Amino acid sequence: MDEPILTIEEREAINNGRWFSSLSPSLRHDILRCTYVRRYKDGDLIAARGDAPEDWIACARGAVRVSSTSISGKQITLTYVEPGIWFGDVAIFDGDRRTHDAYAHGDTTIVCVAKADFRKILSQHVELYEAMLRLHARRIRQLFGLVEDLNTLPLRARLAKQLLHLVRSYGVPSLGDGRELRIGLQLAQEELAQLLGASRQRVNQELKSMEREDIIRIEPGGLVVRNREALLRIAETDA
C-alpha cells in the first residue's frame, strides 16, 4: 500500500512535530528528501520484535501501537506513537534488534528513512547528533515521569493526565458543542487500562465517575471530554 506522496495534512503533521520543527531548514529538507511513504490499515503489522532495524520512522497519520507479548501470549499495549513523532532510531544506533511490535491503529501513514540514508545524513549534518541527543533526553524524562506517576499518583489523576494527553494529540471539536472535544483515537477500555497500568474494571469505574460529574461522556465510538478544566484540576490536585 505504498504511495510516494504525502497529503497536505500528513506533511503538516511531520513538519509541525515539536522536535522536527526545531531542526534547521536544510536538515529537514535532506531528511524529507530521503523518505518513502507507507500506508497501513488498522491492525497491520509495521515492525515485529526481533526484526533487524532497517528504517527510521515517523508517524504522519493515525497512530502506531507499540506492544509486547506476555508469557501467556497476551498482547500488552505500551504506548501509541502519534503524528509528528519519530521512532525506531535506538535500534539503528546500537545495532540491536527491534524490542517491540508496532501495529497500525486505524488507517495509518508512516514515512521511513533507510538506515543507510540516516547514517549519511548524520555524516553531513553534525546538527542531527545534538538533535538526536535532545530527542533521547526528552524520552528519558517522559519515561521517568511515567514511572513516577505510576508510583505516586492515584489512578484518577493518572487517568485525567492520560485523557488530557489524548485530547492534545487527537482532540476534535464536537459537532453538537464546540466546547466539547472528542478523542479521535479510538481506544478500548482495556487498551486505556494497559496504558495506565491498571485493570479494565478500575478504569471503567473512574470513567463512570467522571461521566457522572459531567467531565466526560462515554459513547460507543469513544470518549468526549466535556470539561477540560476539571481534568486539569484532577491531575494537579491529586498530584
Side-chain angles (χ1 to χ4, degrees):
M1 296 185 63
D2 295 0
E3 295 183 15
I5 300 175
L6 292 172
T7 67
I8 294 175
E9 293 77 12
E10 291 167 348
R11 183 172 287 273
E12 285 180 348
I14 296 296
N15 284 324
N16 294 335
R18 178 182 171 189
W19 176 80
F20 191 75
S21 64
S22 71
L23 306 179
S24 67
S26 62
L27 177 52
R28 295 199 305 269
H29 173 270
D30 284 356
I31 291 173
L32 292 176
R33 183 170 55 86
C34 294
T35 60
Y36 55 94
V37 179
R38 285 182 173 172
R39 303 183 189 280
Y40 296 90
K41 293 295 186 182
D42 181 47
D44 287 349
L45 179 67
I46 295 174
R49 180 174 184 169
D51 282 352
E54 300 296 338
D55 307 289
W56 182 37
I57 305 170
C59 180
R61 181 173 71 106
V64 177
R65 177 169 59 86
V66 179
S67 65
S68 63
T69 304
S70 68
I71 296 176
S72 63
K74 180 182 179 181
Q75 276 199 352
I76 305 298
T77 300
L78 302 174
T79 190
Y80 290 88
V81 179
E82 62 198 61
I85 302 297
W86 291 79
F87 65 100
D89 43 90
V90 172
I92 293 179
F93 275 119
D94 67 14
D96 209 341
R97 301 278 176 169
R98 301 286 192 198
T99 56
H100 299 90
D101 300 318
Y103 293 89
H105 189 82
D107 290 339
T108 298
T109 302
I110 63 171
V111 295
C112 305
V113 177
K115 178 169 62 176
D117 288 329
F118 177 68
R119 289 178 171 169
K120 183 178 179 181
I121 296 170
L122 277 173
S123 69
Q124 295 173 341
H125 293 269
V126 177
E127 170 197 351
L128 185 54
Y129 278 103
E130 294 186 2
M132 295 305 299
L133 284 174
R134 292 197 303 272
L135 180 61
H136 292 172
R138 183 180 303 163
R139 289 173 181 164
I140 292 171
R141 287 179 181 272
Q142 290 172 342
L143 177 60
F144 283 163
L146 288 172
V147 173
E148 181 180 7
D149 287 351
L150 186 61
N151 286 279
T152 61
L153 295 184
L155 176 58
R156 181 177 169 87
R158 301 205 311 275
L159 175 58
K161 292 183 72 171
Q162 184 64 57
L163 292 178
L164 287 168
H165 171 73
L166 291 171
V167 163
R168 284 193 297 270
S169 302
Y170 294 98
V172 179
S174 176
L175 294 177
D177 186 342
R179 294 170 299 180
E180 297 182 348
L181 292 169
R182 182 181 304 277
I183 295 175
L185 183 69
Q186 294 189 0
L187 296 179
Q189 288 190 12
E190 176 65 28
E191 294 171 322
L192 184 58
Q194 289 174 11
L195 292 177
L196 296 167
S199 68
R200 185 194 63 80
Q201 291 79 6
R202 289 189 61 207
V203 170
N204 178 262
Q205 290 172 0
E206 294 293 350
L207 288 172
K208 291 290 182 63
S209 174
M210 289 181 179
E211 186 173 44
R212 289 192 296 270
E213 297 168 38
D214 290 328
I215 299 172
I216 66 169
R217 184 169 66 252
I218 303 171
E219 297 183 346
L223 296 174
V224 175
V225 173
R226 305 188 65 190
N227 191 333
R228 191 174 179 179
E229 290 73 22
L231 284 179
L232 284 168
R233 287 195 297 270
I234 293 171
E236 295 172 355
T237 302
D238 288 359

